[in-house]
């Protein structure tokens, strides 16, 4: 939904981001650091030390005199370094919210003992990571054992653009040196104009904020203080990741050869993940923060939403028009149009009468379609509103000076639930249960949870005037409460000003005052960026408890670990070519953050996109993990059928997506079991090919399906990078591109076409598609097998996961799921394709079959022969067909010594996918070449 700013102020913020004051990145040395005064081993295999400040000063407040250092190799590939006040407990991300090992409790007895029993070893080695330190001034380094590379180094000398470590109550600073050729990714959420790689000099501020995604280089809806570092030394690539687990606001200054954190509270809690591959890094990261949530099958279908579906008949027309246009659609959404006065968990009795809505839902549910609605965290202050009454009775709201903190969002005056309070979690679950009894929704969309507030400061209800006033949603976004700024506390006006909203806005600006108080006295100052995360956990628990089904939740605000509970969309974007390009980088970043189910508003949220842009956007958005068209209240209608040209592009691109649903669902399973992103940068599969390290205009789905979209106006060609190897167009499998050492290729891309290529050595399971995923998933399967073009020898692999997607868990066992590994080989003129099935019962019960196998890139000519299935010869009288077709190469590609290659298609098959099978045939080899 549109953020708290109006259109005018949205653009004002955008202008300020370019022209406003920013904190200077010019180095200022705040302190003289600490000295290590003792260190000893702990009973659990870690080391515990104490640091004493060298020289105090009062810049940004007094230094904390004594710090506790704890270091532990928690796993073979994860190292933790935790630094906190040695004498007073400090705020940390709650351990019940993000479960992890606890560091040693503060204990002065240990300190006194360790002063006498210090260890002298200055290196602490694990399986792959080595922690080392210097005593005075204290600094530490993390090195990779296998190649000796220094991954993180906090030491400072006069030539460095940063100083020693600083640890004050409201200001922490620490830096690391970096090699100039390291490629860094992450530190979100922000819209990065320069692409996916971190760009030296750009501001990276982490603090959850409701300013729209049109704002560049500003802190947006989520906070993810983690980066991936990819290096290639002498042709050997290696990746690692660094997480600073801290929920307080922070600026991170990246200068190319160094990186500096400036944080306004909490502790220094670093986690280092050894990799060495990008995929291994995300695996290790999500092992700590939580594996991505399993998504129901329908969630991978196409979604349609709009803020401004004024009544139910409009929604019914949208569904009917998608069907008429033969464009796939799985999920229809409502923004707050269905609500009574914008109030959560209500229905507008006039525009969305319950009997008619229930009849509509019964109709769409009967064919497998789903319905999702929005809920915002702000609960309208209204004595006749049952949700509010029960909230007050259960004492669930965030408070300021003992009273529920008053704010304003769409319903007018609101209070915000405190999801750190166990009673709030119970109350929230009960409200969701009540609403589900009213309307059997299939998922929930939690928005505005940064948290967004149309007012700033401490507010009271106005006397003698209505608030808000006027028709439509517009007046609701203008603050009409009586408010005054709060600058009298050190929480509302901290000594160091982070670059909030790109303009150094006060940290309580358009959100909850940071001196407000949560459960157990927790300050909003510390917990602010956790709000959306804590709401996600509560919402997930509530939905899972309803019917025991797999929840689907879309959240705008996210934090470290949010992917365990929710999907994410990238917020309020614009219908511009620039925003189309930005969407790819943001999507790829969230895969690195462990939130793989992500996408942007297709065609842009506002203002109106051009017809050409909407054509090109659906050709990209059809391959987002989360694929949804969503538009603003004030924008013209932009459903994909509104333009016939866009409808044609949608039928083409979404038609392919629905054929690929088995592959996408298997990637969903891989994400849930290993953290692997669904959409990935090319360097995930080609980390030894440095040309793709900064590539932000193409992406992979899984390890081998590459999308190369048109991202510029007026273009009918696209210049795409092809890493070394053979690539096959999935829209026209005769089209082959073989890239010897990696190269750019100019591809034809007329208006309704998108280039999607499958890499060699892959086996891709597909189905026949359909207009609804429930129908599409019951169609016969085909397998696409790829070898290097002209291969006389090769191997290929693929896999497929199938399950009952209603079940909350996504795992093998119990007769509700099946997993198949596919293999293929070509050797000495014999081609073989076979499978190994685990837990075949579920697939067999659903009567799924393989109907066709297509093998690409084979060396040979003429008709293949001697077909065998499960060691049985197939004679000419069989209905099974075995055909070959020569493959084509672009005229401007240097083919070199590649032999003639062919496609072989075996059709008319009826192979149960739930049983092991083997199929083979002979190829006639031609040695003539071209």
């Amino acid at each position: 939904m549109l953020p708290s700013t109006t259109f005018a102020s949205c653009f004002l913020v955008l202008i300020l981001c370019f022209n406003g004051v920013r904190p200077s990145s010019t180095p200022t040395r705040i302190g003289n650091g600490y000295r290590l005064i003792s260190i000893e081993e702990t009973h659990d295999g870690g080391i515990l030390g104490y640091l004493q400040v060298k020289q105090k000063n009062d810049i940004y407040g007094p230094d904390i005199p004594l710090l506790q250092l704890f270091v532990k190799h928690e796993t073979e590939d994860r190292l933790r370094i935790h630094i906190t006040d040695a004498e007073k407990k400090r705020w940390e991300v709650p351990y019940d919210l993000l479960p992890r090992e606890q560091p040693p409790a503060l204990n002065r007895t240990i300190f006194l003992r360790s002063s006498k029993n210090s260890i002298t070893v200055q290196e602490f080695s694990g399986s792959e990571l080595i922690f080392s330190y210097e005593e005075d001034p204290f600094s530490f380094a993390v090195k990779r054992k296998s190649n000796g590379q220094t991954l993180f180094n906090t030491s400072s000398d006069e030539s460095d653009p940063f100083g020693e470590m600083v640890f004050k109550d409201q200001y922490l600073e620490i830096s690391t040196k970096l090699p100039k050729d390291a490629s860094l990714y992450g530190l979100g959420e922000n819209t990065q104009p320069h692409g996916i790689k971190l760009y030296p000099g750009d501001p990276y501020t982490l603090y959850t904020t409701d300013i729209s995604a049109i704002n560049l280089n500003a802190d947006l809806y989520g906070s993810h203080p983690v980066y991936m570092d990819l290096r290639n030394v002498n042709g050997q690539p290696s990746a690692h990741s660094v997480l600073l687990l801290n929920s307080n606001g922070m600026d991170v200054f990246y200068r190319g050869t160094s990186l500096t954190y400036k944080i306004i509270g909490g502790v220094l809690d670093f986690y280092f993940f050894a990799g060495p591959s990008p995929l291994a890094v995300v695996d290790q990261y999500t092992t700590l923060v939580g594996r991505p949530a399993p998504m129901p099958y329908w969630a991978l279908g196409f979604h349609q939403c709009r803020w401004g579906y004024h009544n139910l008949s409009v929604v019914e027309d949208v569904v009917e028009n998608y069907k008429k246009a033969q464009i796939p659609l799985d999920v229809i959404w409502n923004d707050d149009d269905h609500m009574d006065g914008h109030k959560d968990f209500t229905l507008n009795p006039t525009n969305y009468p319950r009997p008619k809505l229930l009849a509509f839902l019964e109709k769409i549910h009967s064919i497998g379609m789903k319905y999702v609605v929005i809920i915002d965290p702000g609960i309208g202050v209204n004595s006749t509103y049952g949700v509010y009454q029960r909230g007050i009775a259960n004492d669930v709201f965030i408070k300021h000076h003992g009273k529920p903190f008053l704010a304003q969002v769409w319903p007018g005056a609101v209070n915000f639930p405190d999801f750190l309070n166990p009673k709030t979690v119970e109350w929230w679950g009960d409200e969701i249960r009540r609403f589900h009894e009213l309307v059997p929704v299939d998922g929930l969309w939690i928005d505005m949870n940064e948290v967004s507030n149309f007012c700033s400061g401490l507010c009271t209800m106005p006397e003698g005037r209505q608030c808000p006033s006027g028709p439509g949603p517009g007046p609701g976004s203008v603050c009409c409460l009586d408010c005054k700024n709060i600058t009298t506390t050190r929480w509302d006006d901290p000594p160091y000003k982070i670059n909030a909203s790109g303009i150094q806005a006060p940290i309580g600006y358009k959100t909850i005052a940071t001196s407000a108080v949560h459960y157990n006295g927790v300050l909003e100052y510390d917990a602010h960026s956790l709000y959306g995360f804590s709401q996600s956990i509560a919402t997930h628990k509530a939905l899972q408890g309803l019917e025991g089904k797999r929840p689907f939740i879309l959240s705008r605000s996210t934090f470290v670990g949010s992917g365990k509970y929710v999907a994410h969309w990238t917020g309020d974007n614009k219908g511009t070519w620039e925003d189309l390009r930005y969407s790819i980088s943001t999507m790829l970043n969230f895969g690195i953050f462990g939130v793989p189910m992500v996408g942007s508003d297709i065609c842009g949220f506002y203002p109106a996109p051009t017809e050409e842009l909407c054509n090109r956007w659906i050709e990209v958005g059809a391959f987002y993990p989360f694929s949804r068209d969503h538009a603003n209240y004030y924008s013209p209608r932009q459903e994909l059928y509104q333009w016939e040209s866009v409808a044609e592009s949608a039928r083409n691109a979404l038609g392919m997506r629905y054929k690929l649903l088995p592959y996408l669902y298997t990637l969903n399973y891989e994400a849930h079991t290993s953290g692997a992103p669904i959409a990935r940068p090319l360097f995930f599969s080609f980390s030894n090919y440095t040309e793709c390290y900064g590539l932000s205009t193409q992406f992979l789905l899984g390890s081998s399906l590459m999308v190369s979209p048109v991202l510029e106006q007026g273009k009918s060609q696209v210049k795409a990078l092809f890493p070394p190897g053979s690539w096959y167009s999935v829209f026209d499998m005769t089209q082959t591109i073989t890239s010897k050492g990696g190269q750019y290729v100019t591809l034809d891309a007329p208006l309704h076409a998108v280039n999607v290529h499958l890499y060699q050595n892959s086996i891709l399971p597909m189905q026949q598609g359909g207009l609804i995923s429930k129908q599409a998933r019951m169609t016969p399967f085909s397998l696409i097998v790829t070898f290097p073009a002209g291969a006389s020898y090769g191997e290929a692999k693929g896999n497929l996961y199938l399950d009952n997607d209603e079940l909350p868990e996504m795992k093998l066992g119990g007769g509700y799921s099946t997993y198949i590994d596919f293999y293929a080989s070509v050797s000495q003129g014999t081609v073989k394709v076979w499978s190994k099935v685990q837990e075949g019962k579920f697939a067999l019960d659903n009567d799924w079959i393989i109907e066709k196998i297509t093998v690409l890139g084979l060396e040979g000519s003429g008709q293949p022969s001697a077909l065998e299935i499960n060691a049985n010869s197939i004679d000419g009288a069989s209905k099974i067909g075995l055909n070959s077709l020569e493959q084509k190469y672009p005229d401007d590609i240097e083919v070199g010594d590649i032999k003639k290659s062919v496609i072989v298609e075996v059709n008319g098959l009826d192979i149960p996918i739930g049983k092991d099978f083997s199929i083979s045939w002979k190829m006639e080899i031609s040695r003539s070449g071209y």
Side-chain angles (χ1 to χ4, degrees):
M1 188 186 289
L2 190 71
S4 59
T5 46
T6 62
F7 281 126
S9 56
C10 267
F11 286 109
L12 176 62
V13 170
L14 180 63
I15 292 166
L16 288 170
C17 281
F18 286 109
N19 301 317
V21 178
R22 287 180 174 144
S24 170
S25 58
T26 304
T28 302
R29 294 178 182 261
I30 305 300
N32 294 300
Y34 287 74
R35 66 170 62 88
L36 182 69
I37 56 174
S38 71
I39 193 164
E40 70 167 12
E41 293 185 49
T42 62
H43 69 279
D44 61 351
I47 57 174
L48 186 67
Y50 291 90
L51 311 172
Q52 189 174 61
V53 70
K54 294 189 64 175
Q55 183 178 341
K56 296 181 181 180
N57 66 55
D58 290 324
I59 304 172
Y60 301 139
D63 296 275
I64 292 176
L66 188 68
L67 303 178
Q68 176 179 284
L69 164 72
F70 176 66
V71 183
K72 186 180 180 184
H73 293 279
E74 293 188 337
T75 69
E76 290 186 354
D77 42 42
R78 183 173 82 226
L79 169 68
R80 184 184 190 184
I81 299 172
H82 183 276
I83 302 173
T84 188
D85 188 333
E87 301 181 287
K88 181 182 176 184
K89 188 172 178 60
R90 288 181 62 80
W91 165 258
E92 298 185 48
V93 175
Y95 283 79
D96 59 345
L97 211 60
L98 188 65
R100 59 204 189 277
E101 287 187 39
Q102 296 254 16
L106 305 179
N107 190 329
R108 194 164 180 82
T109 305
I110 294 177
F111 164 63
L112 293 170
R113 187 183 73 242
S114 64
S115 301
K116 302 172 184 176
N117 300 293
S118 294
I119 57 175
T120 56
V121 178
Q122 289 188 293
E123 282 196 350
F124 180 46
S125 181
S127 297
E128 175 57 355
L129 296 176
I130 301 171
F131 169 82
S132 62
Y133 63 89
E134 297 292 335
E135 293 184 6
D136 189 7
F138 172 77
S139 67
F140 68 84
V142 178
K143 296 179 181 178
R144 188 183 293 282
K145 182 183 286 187
S146 58
N147 60 16
Q149 281 187 35
T150 299
L151 308 184
F152 202 87
N153 180 3
T154 70
S155 66
S156 170
D157 56 44
E158 290 300 319
S159 64
D160 289 318
F162 55 84
E164 304 291 347
M165 182 179 77
V166 180
F167 205 119
K168 299 167 184 281
D169 188 26
Q170 288 184 266
Y171 182 79
L172 286 65
E173 181 182 320
I174 193 166
S175 303
T176 178
K177 303 175 194 287
L178 291 167
K180 62 182 179 181
D181 56 351
S183 297
L184 268 59
Y185 312 87
L187 296 180
E189 175 180 12
N190 60 16
T191 300
Q192 298 176 196
H194 296 107
I196 187 174
K197 276 178 65 171
L198 299 190
Y199 192 80
D202 276 358
Y204 295 94
T205 298
L206 281 72
Y207 188 74
T208 61
T209 307
D210 173 16
I211 60 170
S212 68
I214 69 171
N215 295 286
L216 308 181
N217 290 325
D219 44 320
L220 297 182
Y221 313 107
S223 176
H224 295 271
V226 60
Y227 69 85
M228 181 184 290
D229 181 336
L230 177 60
R231 305 178 186 181
N232 192 300
V233 179
N234 299 321
Q236 295 297 314
S238 62
H240 68 277
S241 193
V242 180
L243 166 66
L244 172 57
L245 188 55
N246 182 300
S247 64
N248 291 84
M250 68 180 79
D251 289 327
V252 186
F253 293 97
Y254 173 52
R255 302 180 184 89
T257 56
S258 67
L259 187 145
T260 297
Y261 298 88
K262 298 186 176 187
I263 316 141
I264 61 172
V267 301
L268 297 176
D269 193 4
F270 283 103
Y271 290 85
F272 297 86
F273 306 92
S277 70
L279 212 53
V281 165
V282 182
D283 185 355
Q284 294 153 15
Y285 178 70
T286 56
T287 298
L288 174 71
V289 306
R291 296 297 199 198
M295 294 292 151
Y297 203 89
W298 56 263
L300 292 161
F302 182 68
H303 304 244
Q304 176 62 51
C305 184
R306 175 180 171 80
W307 182 30
Y309 286 149
H310 302 297
N311 56 52
L312 180 59
S313 64
V314 179
V315 176
E316 291 172 323
D317 284 346
V318 170
V319 172
E320 188 59 31
N321 284 326
Y322 266 94
K323 182 180 177 182
K324 285 179 182 176
Q326 293 291 285
I327 300 170
L329 178 65
D330 257 74
V331 193
I332 187 71
W333 293 55
N334 263 129
D335 207 310
D336 73 356
D337 303 291
H338 68 286
M339 295 181 185
D340 182 13
H342 307 288
K343 300 191 297 292
D344 282 346
F345 308 120
T346 63
L347 278 182
N348 183 310
T350 303
N351 296 333
Y352 283 83
R354 182 171 182 256
K356 289 186 178 180
L357 179 58
L358 291 179
F360 168 70
L361 294 184
E362 186 175 354
K363 178 182 176 182
I364 66 168
H365 284 157
S366 69
I367 58 172
M369 285 187 63
K370 305 296 182 180
Y371 179 60
V372 175
V373 300
I374 198 169
I375 46 174
D376 294 339
I379 301 300
V381 176
N382 185 325
S383 61
T384 65
Y385 175 34
V387 178
Y388 172 73
Q389 292 173 323
R390 290 185 290 272
I392 289 292
N394 284 282
D395 194 21
V396 303
F397 297 118
I398 293 170
K399 293 181 178 177
H400 197 279
H401 287 150
K403 297 179 180 178
F405 178 78
L406 192 69
Q408 182 189 328
V409 203
W410 301 114
V414 298
N415 296 150
F416 291 120
D418 174 14
F419 293 103
L420 299 182
N421 184 342
K423 284 173 62 178
T424 307
V425 175
E426 290 180 21
W427 162 83
W428 185 251
D430 184 58
E431 296 302 337
I432 288 175
R433 179 191 59 78
R434 290 168 182 266
F435 181 63
H436 194 268
E437 290 175 356
L438 186 73
V439 185
V441 296
D442 301 288
L444 289 173
W445 172 17
I446 53 177
D447 190 17
M448 310 287 281
N449 52 354
E450 293 72 34
V451 64
S452 177
N453 180 3
F454 298 162
C455 301
S456 298
L458 194 59
C459 303
T460 57
M461 296 291 287
E463 293 185 11
R465 70 177 191 273
Q466 185 178 343
C467 173
S469 61
S477 64
V478 177
C479 181
C480 56
L481 301 176
D482 288 335
C483 305
K484 61 180 180 180
N485 288 334
I486 315 172
T487 56
T488 54
T489 77
R490 63 192 183 105
W491 312 117
D492 296 294
D493 187 25
Y496 176 76
K497 316 299 186 210
I498 62 170
N499 188 25
S501 302
I503 54 172
Q504 285 187 272
I507 59 172
Y509 177 72
K510 294 294 185 77
T511 188
I512 298 171
T514 44
S515 52
V517 178
H518 292 254
Y519 179 69
N520 267 355
V522 170
L523 284 167
E524 170 70 8
Y525 180 87
D526 294 314
H528 171 82
S529 289
L530 296 175
Y531 193 91
F533 179 47
S534 61
Q535 186 195 18
S536 297
I537 295 171
T539 307
H540 188 274
K541 180 180 179 182
L543 281 183
Q544 200 166 67
L546 277 180
E547 297 175 310
K549 290 184 178 181
R550 189 174 302 173
F552 173 80
I553 305 162
L554 185 73
S555 178
R556 192 168 74 176
S557 186
T558 58
F559 186 71
V560 174
S562 282
K564 183 178 179 181
Y565 306 98
V566 296
H568 174 65
W569 94 107
T570 63
D572 296 344
N573 57 357
K574 287 169 66 180
T576 69
W577 293 94
E578 290 79 11
D579 284 70
L580 172 58
R581 289 195 291 276
Y582 302 152
S583 75
I584 295 177
S585 295
T586 308
M587 170 182 69
L588 297 179
N589 260 331
F590 269 87
I592 292 171
F593 298 151
V595 189
M597 190 65 168
V598 60
S600 295
D601 285 347
I602 292 169
C603 298
F605 182 62
Y606 69 92
T610 65
E611 183 175 347
E612 181 191 1
L613 175 61
C614 209
N615 270 280
R616 293 309 191 185
W617 208 316
I618 186 56
E619 290 169 2
V620 181
F623 300 99
Y624 292 155
F626 172 64
S627 184
R628 185 185 71 160
D629 182 311
H630 178 43
N632 169 46
Y633 185 95
Y634 299 97
S635 298
R637 298 283 290 273
Q638 66 181 44
E639 291 85 5
L640 301 178
Y641 55 77
Q642 296 289 348
W643 302 272
E644 179 47 42
S645 70
V646 177
E648 185 176 342
S649 294
R651 284 189 289 269
N652 191 40
L654 287 173
M656 180 56 70
R657 180 188 182 91
Y658 274 61
K659 292 176 183 176
L660 292 169
L661 284 176
Y663 178 66
L664 291 172
Y665 194 67
T666 302
L667 294 178
N668 174 31
Y669 174 71
E670 289 182 5
H672 180 57
T673 54
S674 71
I678 297 173
R680 308 172 191 175
L682 267 66
F683 66 73
F684 265 66
S685 288
F686 302 98
S687 57
N688 58 346
Y689 183 50
T690 57
E691 186 71 22
C692 66
Y693 282 16
L695 189 65
S696 305
T697 54
Q698 296 166 248
F699 57 94
L700 292 172
L701 291 174
S703 61
S704 55
L705 197 65
M706 182 171 72
V707 183
S708 306
V710 172
L711 302 172
E712 296 179 76
Q713 185 176 2
K715 301 291 186 183
S716 59
Q717 293 182 317
V718 61
K719 187 179 180 183
L721 180 64
F722 283 81
S726 294
W727 297 85
Y728 302 90
S729 169
V730 296
F731 283 96
D732 179 0
M733 295 180 197
T734 65
Q735 297 294 325
T736 310
I737 290 174
T738 293
S739 172
K740 281 298 185 184
Q743 65 188 110
Y744 278 93
V745 178
T746 299
L747 304 170
D748 285 333
L751 188 61
H752 306 304
V754 58
N755 283 280
V756 182
H757 288 83
L758 182 63
Y759 192 54
Q760 65 188 34
N761 308 325
S762 304
I763 301 179
L764 177 68
M766 297 175 72
Q767 285 175 291
Q768 293 179 358
L771 297 181
I772 298 173
S773 65
K774 182 180 179 180
Q775 300 165 0
R777 81 178 302 203
M778 298 315 296
T779 61
F781 280 83
S782 60
L783 300 179
I784 313 300
V785 181
T786 59
F787 292 118
S792 56
Y793 174 82
E795 295 181 341
K797 291 181 181 179
N799 48 37
L800 176 63
Y801 175 81
L802 302 160
D803 74 356
N804 178 346
D805 71 317
E806 294 280 271
L807 295 177
E809 293 195 51
M810 194 179 206
K811 63 180 183 179
L812 277 176
Y816 297 106
S817 56
T818 295
Y819 187 86
I820 305 113
D821 284 302
F822 297 110
Y823 303 92
S825 66
V826 56
S827 178
Q828 297 180 333
T830 297
V831 181
K832 183 180 178 183
V833 182
W834 71 100
S835 72
K836 294 292 182 185
V837 178
Q838 298 178 55
E839 305 283 344
K841 180 180 182 299
F842 178 74
L844 292 171
D845 288 348
N846 281 277
D847 297 322
W848 277 307
I849 63 161
I850 298 171
E851 173 182 81
K852 183 168 68 174
I853 296 175
T854 306
V855 182
L856 312 179
L858 292 169
E859 179 189 16
S861 63
Q863 285 295 317
S865 60
L867 178 66
E868 290 187 355
I869 299 179
N870 296 331
N872 297 315
S873 298
I874 306 299
D875 60 30
S878 169
K879 66 174 184 176
I880 296 171
L882 190 61
N883 305 303
S884 67
L885 184 66
E886 191 171 313
Q887 292 189 286
K888 303 170 187 173
Y889 296 85
D891 294 337
D892 57 345
I893 300 294
E894 189 66 42
V895 174
D897 61 353
I898 297 170
K899 302 176 179 68
K900 187 177 292 186
S901 66
V902 295
I903 302 172
V904 171
E905 186 178 275
V906 188
N907 51 40
L909 298 171
D910 189 13
I911 299 173
I913 207 164
K915 286 185 178 179
D916 293 354
F917 75 88
S918 175
I919 182 169
S920 65
W921 63 86
K922 297 284 187 181
M923 293 297 298
E924 177 185 335
I925 305 298
S926 168
R927 300 296 180 188
S928 58
Y930 278 98

